[in-house]
Amino acid sequence: MATTPPQITATPLKAVLTLTFLGSLGTGAVTNGFSFIATEGLGYTRTMNLLMALVLGGSYIGGAMASGPLVRWMSDRGNRMTPRGLLAVVLVVIGSVCFLPLLAQRLAPSMLEASLWVLILIFSPMTGILWPIVESYVSGGRREKALRSAIGKFNIVWAGALVVTFWGMAPLLEHRPFVILAVLGGAQLFMCVVLRWFPRYPPRHLDLDHEPVPRDYARLLTLFRVLLIASYIVLSALSPLLPIVENRLGVPVHWMTPIASAWLTSRVLVFFVLERWHGWHGRWSMPWIGLGLMLIGFASCMLSPMLPSGTGTGMLIVALCITGCGIAITYYGALYYAMAVGNSEVDAGGTHEAMIGVGYTLGPLCGLAGVGMSGNDDDAFRFWVIILISAAVLGFTIFGWRLLRRTRDGEVPVVPSPH
């Protein structure tokens, strides 16, 4: 059977970034903001929010593991389904299920809670398939400065979209939380229109002609990759607990998501700084700074309800900003060293995405363990969550440090994925 010659010309960056922005609006509302919707729409407490976060992480692993085989299966160009076609199918499925909670609320209120769980169970693995393919369109057909510039803009766009989502959710959160999901479902469906500027197959990856880099770069990449997984442990525990913390502080509902966006905003700002200022390259202090900021920020978030309302809210905002800075350093460091050392191919499969899913899963597990150890004592719960999350993160850090001893010259881990 005749095969289609590989596409070399890069996909128009404006089209890729437009699709990325719209897709990240949904990621922001569901993956990062589901707990606010569940808390306001269903009255969920910390236990139910953590359970939903656990399901979200576990189902994400399934989609991530499937993405690689799917892309490889379609890459022989002997199948009717192309990667662009798969993107369209995934977007239609994601967009459609986003309407389920609103429809259930209006037509079958008894099914409302079930509809939100169905949304999570479908949305999460579908995004595990979606983003690796989108990333292949970002990198394909680009090399050197064009590739670095495209990835830098890609990072800022997807991270900035999450900030927009959290501010946009605020007016609807208290009285119309499920309308938020329906609006974002419409955005996912509109993304199918943007696909008209995408080639049927991702452009062929162009190997980079790398200049020699310091030998420590491969070792730094190994450490940063492990810390990246640790950062998702922090995020996946923080996200479902933020509405509970803000409730304890007496934060008005319409201010909950804007305040929660503090860590998202600081992450975008640090992305800008690290892209422009290169003095951090090759410095071993950076991964430890990122690790320290993440742990200090998370612990401060959990302890903020122990202070008076006004002071505690201020502490929460500062703590979220600190957390966002640490997460940004960890992410950007992993991405930079992957690009600097150079992979033979930007892997859009699913192994690393599945590792991200492990981080998404371990965070809620630590939170649920904290619930079991503390019962109904909120102060004890926050104490145990801080201890358990810190232990999990430090455990991953020790694992990364041990990997450094096994990193051989020329051995390069795969490129990390942002979602």
Side-chain angles (χ1 to χ4, degrees):
M1 180 180 294
T3 58
T4 304
Q7 171 77 18
I8 297 178
T9 305
T11 308
L13 189 57
K14 288 183 179 180
V16 177
L17 295 182
T18 299
L19 185 136
T20 297
F21 180 82
L22 294 172
S24 293
L25 294 178
T27 301
V30 180
T31 304
N32 294 100
F34 74 91
S35 54
F36 291 96
I37 294 173
T39 299
E40 295 304 319
L42 298 174
Y44 272 14
T45 60
R46 65 191 182 199
T47 301
M48 292 304 297
N49 280 347
L50 287 165
L51 281 172
M52 187 167 281
L54 181 62
V55 170
L56 187 148
S59 58
Y60 188 86
I61 295 175
M65 292 297 291
S67 65
L70 279 171
V71 172
R72 287 192 295 272
W73 175 73
M74 291 181 295
S75 65
D76 63 9
R77 294 167 172 78
N79 302 294
R80 292 184 178 181
M81 179 69 75
T82 64
R84 184 180 66 181
L86 178 60
L87 276 180
V89 171
V90 168
L91 291 174
V92 169
V93 171
I94 291 175
S96 299
V97 297
C98 284
F99 289 92
L100 287 180
L102 183 62
L103 291 174
Q105 184 182 41
R106 296 184 176 180
L107 302 178
S110 63
M111 299 297 294
L112 178 57
E113 184 175 15
S115 70
L116 187 60
W117 282 90
V118 170
L119 166 61
I120 292 293
L121 284 169
I122 295 176
F123 183 96
S124 184
M126 287 294 103
T127 54
I129 296 173
L130 172 71
W131 290 114
I133 301 176
V134 172
E135 289 151 19
S136 70
Y137 280 97
V138 174
S139 62
R142 295 183 172 90
R143 67 166 70 215
E144 294 296 345
K145 291 183 179 179
L147 178 58
R148 293 175 188 269
S149 174
I151 291 180
K153 292 176 181 177
F154 176 68
N155 291 336
I156 292 169
V157 166
W158 70 255
L162 269 61
V163 179
V164 172
T165 299
F166 269 49
W167 279 86
M169 289 170 63
L172 297 172
L173 188 59
E174 185 171 8
H175 301 295
R176 298 179 178 85
F178 301 113
V179 172
I180 296 170
L181 297 175
V183 170
L184 294 170
Q188 307 301 300
L189 295 175
F190 180 75
M191 289 165 67
C192 294
V193 177
V194 182
L195 289 179
R196 63 176 294 186
W197 287 279
F198 280 54
R200 296 173 67 226
Y201 295 90
R204 189 177 67 195
H205 176 74
L206 301 178
D207 289 337
L208 300 179
D209 299 324
H210 291 279
E211 298 178 358
V213 295
R215 294 178 61 182
D216 276 354
Y217 273 32
R219 291 165 57 81
L220 280 164
L221 174 55
T222 300
L223 181 58
F224 264 114
R225 281 193 67 227
V226 174
L227 291 182
L228 181 67
I229 309 304
S231 74
Y232 279 87
I233 297 177
V234 173
L235 277 182
S236 60
L238 181 63
S239 293
L241 296 178
L242 264 180
I244 313 304
V245 170
E246 291 183 299
N247 271 327
R248 283 292 307 274
L249 290 169
V251 175
V253 174
H254 61 275
W255 275 109
M256 281 189 170
T257 50
I259 287 176
S261 73
W263 80 265
L264 300 167
T265 305
S266 67
R267 180 173 65 176
V268 175
L269 294 176
V270 174
F271 278 177
F272 272 113
V273 171
L274 296 182
E275 184 183 22
R276 299 294 176 180
W277 173 63
H278 299 161
W280 60 276
H281 294 174
R283 294 182 181 271
W284 279 93
S285 59
M286 291 301 291
W288 307 121
I289 291 172
L291 173 66
L293 290 175
M294 279 195 301
L295 292 180
I296 292 171
F298 177 79
S300 300
C301 288
M302 293 298 102
L303 294 174
S304 60
M306 299 181 66
L307 299 177
S309 179
T311 305
T313 301
M315 177 179 173
L316 176 63
I317 294 172
V318 173
L320 287 170
C321 289
I322 292 172
T323 306
C325 290
I327 289 170
I329 290 171
T330 302
Y331 171 78
Y332 208 92
L335 179 63
Y336 170 76
Y337 289 112
M339 294 301 300
V341 174
N343 291 331
S344 61
E345 181 176 347
V346 178
D347 187 350
T351 302
H352 192 83
E353 292 284 351
M355 292 176 68
I356 295 288
V358 171
Y360 272 135
T361 304
L362 287 177
L365 280 175
C366 290
L368 290 169
V371 172
M373 293 176 176
S374 62
N376 295 322
D377 189 332
D378 285 340
D379 290 339
F381 168 73
R382 287 193 295 273
F383 169 79
W384 278 113
V385 167
I386 292 171
I387 295 298
L388 292 169
I389 291 295
S390 298
V393 170
L394 291 174
F396 263 85
T397 305
I398 294 170
F399 171 68
W401 190 255
R402 290 176 63 88
L403 281 180
L404 292 182
R405 299 181 179 181
R406 303 178 186 176
T407 303
R408 300 185 301 271
D409 291 341
E411 181 181 341
V412 183
V414 299
V415 174
S417 165
H419 291 83

